[in-house]
PDB file of all heavy atoms in Angstrom:
ATOM      1  N   GLU A 703       0.490   5.372   4.826  1.00 50.00           N
ATOM      2  CA  GLU A 703       0.169   4.265   5.715  1.00 50.00           C
ATOM      3  C   GLU A 703      -1.320   4.228   6.013  1.00 50.00           C
ATOM      4  O   GLU A 703      -1.950   3.176   6.021  1.00 50.00           O
ATOM      5  CB  GLU A 703       0.962   4.414   7.025  1.00 50.00           C
ATOM      6  CG  GLU A 703       2.477   4.233   6.868  1.00 50.00           C
ATOM      7  CD  GLU A 703       3.182   5.462   6.320  1.00 50.00           C
ATOM      8  OE1 GLU A 703       2.487   6.463   6.074  1.00 50.00           O
ATOM      9  OE2 GLU A 703       4.410   5.414   6.143  1.00 50.00           O
ATOM     10  N   ALA A 732     -23.609   7.456 -25.463  1.00 44.00           N
ATOM     11  CA  ALA A 732     -23.317   6.885 -26.766  1.00 44.00           C
ATOM     12  C   ALA A 732     -24.594   6.493 -27.489  1.00 44.00           C
ATOM     13  O   ALA A 732     -24.743   6.690 -28.698  1.00 44.00           O
ATOM     14  CB  ALA A 732     -22.401   5.662 -26.609  1.00 44.00           C
ATOM     15  N   ASN A 771      -3.512  11.391  -5.084  1.00 98.00           N
ATOM     16  CA  ASN A 771      -3.719  11.800  -3.697  1.00 98.00           C
ATOM     17  C   ASN A 771      -4.346  13.183  -3.589  1.00 98.00           C
ATOM     18  O   ASN A 771      -5.026  13.480  -2.610  1.00 98.00           O
ATOM     19  CB  ASN A 771      -2.386  11.835  -2.947  1.00 98.00           C
ATOM     20  CG  ASN A 771      -1.805  10.469  -2.702  1.00 98.00           C
ATOM     21  OD1 ASN A 771      -2.533   9.522  -2.443  1.00 98.00           O
ATOM     22  ND2 ASN A 771      -0.491  10.365  -2.795  1.00 98.00           N
ATOM     23  N   ASP A 786       0.071  12.315  -7.843  1.00 98.00           N
ATOM     24  CA  ASP A 786      -0.254  10.906  -7.602  1.00 98.00           C
ATOM     25  C   ASP A 786       0.730  10.227  -6.654  1.00 98.00           C
ATOM     26  O   ASP A 786       1.698  10.829  -6.172  1.00 98.00           O
ATOM     27  CB  ASP A 786      -0.376  10.141  -8.925  1.00 98.00           C
ATOM     28  CG  ASP A 786       0.951   9.997  -9.675  1.00 98.00           C
ATOM     29  OD1 ASP A 786       2.021  10.133  -9.044  1.00 98.00           O
ATOM     30  OD2 ASP A 786       0.922   9.735 -10.892  1.00 98.00           O
ATOM     31  N   SER A 808       3.832  17.311 -17.463  1.00 97.00           N
ATOM     32  CA  SER A 808       3.942  16.447 -16.296  1.00 97.00           C
ATOM     33  C   SER A 808       5.299  16.665 -15.649  1.00 97.00           C
ATOM     34  O   SER A 808       6.265  17.057 -16.310  1.00 97.00           O
ATOM     35  CB  SER A 808       3.761  14.976 -16.670  1.00 97.00           C
ATOM     36  OG  SER A 808       4.785  14.560 -17.555  1.00 97.00           O
ATOM     37  N   LEU A 863      -0.459  20.891   3.540  1.00 98.00           N
ATOM     38  CA  LEU A 863       0.124  22.095   2.950  1.00 98.00           C
ATOM     39  C   LEU A 863      -0.946  23.176   2.865  1.00 98.00           C
ATOM     40  O   LEU A 863      -2.089  22.898   2.510  1.00 98.00           O
ATOM     41  CB  LEU A 863       0.631  21.759   1.547  1.00 98.00           C
ATOM     42  CG  LEU A 863       0.883  22.897   0.560  1.00 98.00           C
ATOM     43  CD1 LEU A 863       2.273  23.473   0.823  1.00 98.00           C
ATOM     44  CD2 LEU A 863       0.805  22.405  -0.871  1.00 98.00           C
ATOM     45  N   ASN A 869       3.987  34.658   0.130  1.00 95.00           N
ATOM     46  CA  ASN A 869       5.322  34.381   0.668  1.00 95.00           C
ATOM     47  C   ASN A 869       5.338  33.426   1.855  1.00 95.00           C
ATOM     48  O   ASN A 869       6.401  32.904   2.196  1.00 95.00           O
ATOM     49  CB  ASN A 869       5.998  35.692   1.091  1.00 95.00           C
ATOM     50  CG  ASN A 869       6.148  36.670  -0.058  1.00 95.00           C
ATOM     51  OD1 ASN A 869       6.622  36.316  -1.135  1.00 95.00           O
ATOM     52  ND2 ASN A 869       5.723  37.914   0.165  1.00 95.00           N
ATOM     53  N   TRP A 883       6.723  28.702   6.818  1.00 98.00           N
ATOM     54  CA  TRP A 883       7.892  29.054   6.026  1.00 98.00           C
ATOM     55  C   TRP A 883       7.770  30.458   5.435  1.00 98.00           C
ATOM     56  O   TRP A 883       6.686  30.896   5.066  1.00 98.00           O
ATOM     57  CB  TRP A 883       8.067  28.067   4.869  1.00 98.00           C
ATOM     58  CG  TRP A 883       8.211  26.644   5.289  1.00 98.00           C
ATOM     59  CD1 TRP A 883       7.209  25.773   5.607  1.00 98.00           C
ATOM     60  CD2 TRP A 883       9.433  25.913   5.439  1.00 98.00           C
ATOM     61  NE1 TRP A 883       7.716  24.543   5.943  1.00 98.00           N
ATOM     62  CE2 TRP A 883       9.088  24.595   5.848  1.00 98.00           C
ATOM     63  CE3 TRP A 883      10.776  26.246   5.268  1.00 98.00           C
ATOM     64  CZ2 TRP A 883      10.041  23.622   6.079  1.00 98.00           C
ATOM     65  CZ3 TRP A 883      11.735  25.270   5.500  1.00 98.00           C
ATOM     66  CH2 TRP A 883      11.366  23.971   5.903  1.00 98.00           C
ATOM     67  N   LEU A 885       8.965  31.816   2.118  1.00 95.00           N
ATOM     68  CA  LEU A 885       9.506  31.291   0.871  1.00 95.00           C
ATOM     69  C   LEU A 885      10.566  32.200   0.263  1.00 95.00           C
ATOM     70  O   LEU A 885      11.361  31.755  -0.572  1.00 95.00           O
ATOM     71  CB  LEU A 885       8.365  31.068  -0.131  1.00 95.00           C
ATOM     72  CG  LEU A 885       7.365  29.969   0.247  1.00 95.00           C
ATOM     73  CD1 LEU A 885       6.240  29.891  -0.775  1.00 95.00           C
ATOM     74  CD2 LEU A 885       8.070  28.620   0.367  1.00 95.00           C
ATOM     75  N   LEU A 943      -9.298  13.295  13.372  1.00 98.00           N
ATOM     76  CA  LEU A 943      -9.855  14.464  12.707  1.00 98.00           C
ATOM     77  C   LEU A 943      -9.136  14.588  11.369  1.00 98.00           C
ATOM     78  O   LEU A 943      -7.908  14.673  11.315  1.00 98.00           O
ATOM     79  CB  LEU A 943      -9.682  15.726  13.542  1.00 98.00           C
ATOM     80  CG  LEU A 943     -10.535  15.826  14.807  1.00 98.00           C
ATOM     81  CD1 LEU A 943     -10.402  17.218  15.429  1.00 98.00           C
ATOM     82  CD2 LEU A 943     -11.998  15.510  14.538  1.00 98.00           C
ATOM     83  N   CYS A 957     -15.013  20.430  11.363  1.00 98.00           N
ATOM     84  CA  CYS A 957     -14.004  19.378  11.215  1.00 98.00           C
ATOM     85  C   CYS A 957     -14.670  18.062  10.838  1.00 98.00           C
ATOM     86  O   CYS A 957     -15.715  17.705  11.395  1.00 98.00           O
ATOM     87  CB  CYS A 957     -13.215  19.176  12.508  1.00 98.00           C
ATOM     88  SG  CYS A 957     -12.244  20.602  13.020  1.00 98.00           S
ATOM     89  N   VAL A 964     -19.315  15.021  11.885  1.00 98.00           N
ATOM     90  CA  VAL A 964     -18.871  16.392  11.665  1.00 98.00           C
ATOM     91  C   VAL A 964     -18.926  17.127  13.006  1.00 98.00           C
ATOM     92  O   VAL A 964     -19.959  17.131  13.680  1.00 98.00           O
ATOM     93  CB  VAL A 964     -19.759  17.106  10.628  1.00 98.00           C
ATOM     94  CG1 VAL A 964     -19.417  18.586  10.552  1.00 98.00           C
ATOM     95  CG2 VAL A 964     -19.605  16.458   9.262  1.00 98.00           C
ATOM     96  N   PHE A 967     -17.169  23.906  15.889  1.00 98.00           N
ATOM     97  CA  PHE A 967     -16.643  24.744  16.965  1.00 98.00           C
ATOM     98  C   PHE A 967     -17.064  26.189  16.731  1.00 98.00           C
ATOM     99  O   PHE A 967     -17.137  26.646  15.585  1.00 98.00           O
ATOM    100  CB  PHE A 967     -15.109  24.697  16.990  1.00 98.00           C
ATOM    101  CG  PHE A 967     -14.514  23.360  17.306  1.00 98.00           C
ATOM    102  CD1 PHE A 967     -14.353  22.401  16.305  1.00 98.00           C
ATOM    103  CD2 PHE A 967     -14.094  23.054  18.595  1.00 98.00           C
ATOM    104  CE1 PHE A 967     -13.784  21.167  16.590  1.00 98.00           C
ATOM    105  CE2 PHE A 967     -13.526  21.823  18.886  1.00 98.00           C
ATOM    106  CZ  PHE A 967     -13.376  20.875  17.880  1.00 98.00           C
ATOM    107  N   VAL A 992     -18.664  25.418  -0.125  1.00 97.00           N
ATOM    108  CA  VAL A 992     -19.168  25.963  -1.392  1.00 97.00           C
ATOM    109  C   VAL A 992     -19.804  27.324  -1.145  1.00 97.00           C
ATOM    110  O   VAL A 992     -19.621  28.259  -1.915  1.00 97.00           O
ATOM    111  CB  VAL A 992     -20.172  24.994  -2.040  1.00 97.00           C
ATOM    112  CG1 VAL A 992     -20.746  25.584  -3.328  1.00 97.00           C
ATOM    113  CG2 VAL A 992     -19.503  23.644  -2.331  1.00 97.00           C
ATOM    114  N   LEU A1057     -25.857  24.464  -6.248  1.00 94.00           N
ATOM    115  CA  LEU A1057     -25.730  24.474  -4.783  1.00 94.00           C
ATOM    116  C   LEU A1057     -25.842  25.855  -4.161  1.00 94.00           C
ATOM    117  O   LEU A1057     -26.484  26.007  -3.113  1.00 94.00           O
ATOM    118  CB  LEU A1057     -24.414  23.822  -4.370  1.00 94.00           C
ATOM    119  CG  LEU A1057     -24.331  22.297  -4.462  1.00 94.00           C
ATOM    120  CD1 LEU A1057     -23.022  21.816  -3.860  1.00 94.00           C
ATOM    121  CD2 LEU A1057     -25.504  21.628  -3.751  1.00 94.00           C
ATOM    122  N   GLY A1072     -36.108   3.780   4.716  1.00 51.00           N
ATOM    123  CA  GLY A1072     -35.532   3.348   3.457  1.00 51.00           C
ATOM    124  C   GLY A1072     -35.307   4.490   2.482  1.00 51.00           C
ATOM    125  O   GLY A1072     -35.182   4.273   1.288  1.00 51.00           O
ATOM    126  N   ARG A1095     -27.794   4.416   4.727  1.00 40.00           N
ATOM    127  CA  ARG A1095     -28.021   3.462   5.809  1.00 40.00           C
ATOM    128  C   ARG A1095     -27.708   4.080   7.158  1.00 40.00           C
ATOM    129  O   ARG A1095     -26.801   4.874   7.289  1.00 40.00           O
ATOM    130  CB  ARG A1095     -27.154   2.227   5.586  1.00 40.00           C
ATOM    131  CG  ARG A1095     -27.493   1.489   4.304  1.00 40.00           C
ATOM    132  CD  ARG A1095     -26.676   0.222   4.221  1.00 40.00           C
ATOM    133  NE  ARG A1095     -25.275   0.520   4.125  1.00 40.00           N
ATOM    134  CZ  ARG A1095     -24.645   0.719   2.976  1.00 40.00           C
ATOM    135  NH1 ARG A1095     -25.310   0.670   1.843  1.00 40.00           N
ATOM    136  NH2 ARG A1095     -23.352   0.978   2.955  1.00 40.00           N
TER     137      ARG A1095
END
Side-chain angles (χ1 to χ4, degrees):
E703 292 79 1
N771 290 323
D786 68 20
S808 63
L863 161 84
N869 301 311
W883 302 82
L885 293 177
L943 290 188
C957 296
V964 172
F967 296 83
V992 177
L1057 285 187
R1095 298 185 296 271

